[in-house]
Amino acid sequence: MRTALLQSSGRPGSVAENLKVLDEAAARAAAAGAELLVAPEMFLTGYAIGDDIARLAEPADGDSADAIAETAGRHGLAVAYGYPEREGDTVYNSVQLISADGVRLAGYRKTHLFGCFERDHFTPGERQVVQAELNGLTVGLLICYDVEFPENVRAHALAGTDLLLVPTAQMHPFQFVAESMIPVRAFENQMYVAYVNRVGTEGEFEFVGLSTLAGPDGVARTRAGRDEQLVFADVDPVFLAASREANPYLQDRRPGLYGSLV
């Protein structure tokens, strides 16, 4: 499955402009043969927008979800995007996956909030593993800091995730996560991991880019630089099956020894 990673911070504070950026990226991705487009954490609104997070937050089935479903259907590819999700008076840092025919397949709420900024503006989610079936693959969802906890990715591996989508707002000086940790997560859990970042400066944060899609062999299939880019990589289920057979980490585990970890 050809996958497009949209490395962009869009236009922070403007949902309308970000929907346009996403639509333009979807057109380019579809023209290049992509079946899935992944956008960064909080792409719909911007990340460092303070109290505008609550003002711009929408329900999972809100107007922006409808607009992105229309974009997905018109260009014939699935879309995953980050946004602030409102449910009543509660706001979550969320990602939603919409199919190529405009159906909302899955929504995930970030479970591990990073720093005072996120804890001041969001409520953590409580559901660790969220998955959907897409083009014959089991696709899982996490957000940024979540992937830095090995328990989260291992839970996805045990649940059968083939491709883990991780919209992120990775900032300086933690670029080693994109450069080193993501390929290791993919290898030790025998899955593909798509890590899709913001770029540039927003408020106090400097986002480092370096979006990547790493394979189960620990090799980056694509890696963006530090600027806005649309990059592509293929997720190959045949290669994934062969890699899992050659690297049987999940079969060789001894769970009875790990009780003290929790």
Side-chain angles (χ1 to χ4, degrees):
M1 181 172 68
R2 192 152 178 79
T3 301
L5 314 183
L6 173 58
Q7 179 168 284
S8 171
S9 288
R11 308 295 178 263
S14 176
V15 172
E17 288 300 314
N18 291 328
L19 289 172
K20 290 181 183 178
V21 171
L22 192 65
D23 184 77
E24 292 167 359
R28 291 166 56 201
E35 299 173 77
L36 170 64
L37 170 66
V38 187
E41 180 178 7
M42 292 287 287
F43 182 78
L44 183 64
T45 60
Y47 181 88
I49 58 173
D51 292 339
D52 280 348
I53 289 174
R55 181 178 66 85
L56 296 175
E58 297 185 23
D61 60 354
D63 291 343
S64 293
D66 290 343
I68 293 170
E70 192 277 333
T71 291
R74 181 157 38 84
H75 296 295
L77 81 172
V79 177
Y81 66 99
Y83 73 110
E85 178 190 354
R86 175 175 294 283
E87 184 177 67
D89 294 330
T90 304
V91 177
Y92 300 95
N93 184 337
S94 295
V95 56
Q96 184 150 240
L97 175 63
I98 295 178
S99 74
D101 54 5
V103 175
R104 290 188 296 113
L105 295 178
Y108 170 79
R109 296 165 173 173
K110 190 174 186 178
T111 54
H112 294 71
L113 301 180
F114 178 78
C116 295
F117 177 82
E118 290 194 6
R119 290 192 288 270
D120 286 345
H121 290 93
F122 300 107
T123 295
E126 295 296 333
R127 188 176 172 192
Q128 184 184 34
V129 175
V130 173
Q131 298 169 309
E133 296 301 312
L134 181 66
N135 298 349
L137 295 168
T138 300
V139 176
L141 304 173
L142 290 177
I143 299 174
C144 197
Y145 194 41
D146 289 328
V147 80
E148 298 177 36
F149 293 81
E151 299 89 345
N152 285 334
V153 188
R154 180 51 52 89
H156 269 277
L158 294 174
T161 293
D162 300 315
L163 168 62
L164 185 62
L165 307 182
V166 190
T168 188
Q170 181 64 64
M171 55 198 69
H172 177 82
F174 305 112
Q175 49 265 33
F176 69 89
V177 174
E179 293 171 337
S180 301
M181 184 181 290
I182 295 306
V184 170
R185 288 283 181 270
F187 179 73
E188 69 189 2
N189 290 287
Q190 287 300 295
M191 63 174 62
Y192 287 90
V193 179
Y195 188 77
V196 188
N197 201 10
R198 305 178 68 84
V199 291
T201 301
E202 289 180 48
E204 62 185 290
F205 306 113
E206 178 191 348
F207 300 115
V208 300
L210 303 175
S211 299
T212 188
L213 195 154
D217 53 358
V219 175
R221 298 299 192 272
T222 188
R223 188 182 294 283
R226 299 296 186 98
D227 301 318
E228 293 203 352
Q229 290 180 259
L230 184 67
V231 297
F232 300 86
D234 292 325
V235 175
D236 182 353
V238 175
F239 181 84
L240 178 60
S243 181
R244 286 172 170 172
E245 184 175 355
N247 300 283
Y249 285 127
L250 300 186
Q251 291 88 344
D252 290 345
R253 292 168 66 249
R254 296 182 61 193
L257 299 179
Y258 311 146
S260 62
L261 296 178
V262 295

